[in-house]
Amino acid sequence: MADPVEITELSERVEKLSARYGEHLGIERDGDWFLLKLQEEVGELTQAYLQVTGRARTKGSSPDEIRAAFQLEFADVFCQLLLLARHCDVDVPAAIERKWLSHE
């Protein structure tokens, strides 16, 4: 198994992929796009969650396929959130430290 990726490195790698995606499709990746894309991905995660918990149609997918799709949608949401954070100059580790970890 590969070593875990540090969050800043992950953010940079995701940004490069997203920029390439935007260029390829001629999309202006502004603040509205980042937020709306995150909302789109949360909707897809919600659908996958309903499937993985047995509260939506399986559309012919096996339990393993449904679980795998849920995990991929989770990754989409996480990466879109990282992209929005980058766009808005949010230092995610520092914000987590202030908001959550300061209460340990």
Side-chain angles (χ1 to χ4, degrees), residues 10-80:
L10 177 61
S11 177
E12 291 168 3
R13 291 171 65 187
V14 168
E15 169 58 28
K16 287 178 185 176
L17 290 168
S18 178
R20 191 168 59 208
Y21 169 85
E23 289 171 12
H24 177 72
L25 296 177
I27 295 171
E28 180 184 349
R29 297 175 327 121
D30 61 6
D32 289 348
W33 183 85
F34 285 109
L35 185 59
L36 292 170
K37 189 67 177 172
L38 174 61
Q39 184 63 43
E40 175 188 2
E41 296 300 344
V42 168
E44 292 174 8
L45 176 63
T46 302
Q47 177 63 35
Y49 178 78
L50 290 172
Q51 287 179 324
V52 85
T53 59
R55 293 181 276 175
R57 293 179 295 124
T58 62
K59 301 179 182 177
S61 299
S62 72
D64 287 343
E65 290 169 329
I66 291 168
R67 180 74 183 159
F70 171 71
Q71 291 175 359
L72 294 177
E73 292 303 337
F74 197 96
D76 281 347
V77 169
F78 186 76
C79 289
Q80 283 302 139

Side-chain angles (χ1 to χ4, degrees), residues 75-95:
D76 281 347
V77 169
F78 186 76
C79 289
Q80 283 302 139
L81 189 58
L82 284 178
L83 289 167
L84 179 60
R86 280 182 68 88
H87 182 76
C88 296
D89 295 321
V90 174
D91 181 337
V92 174

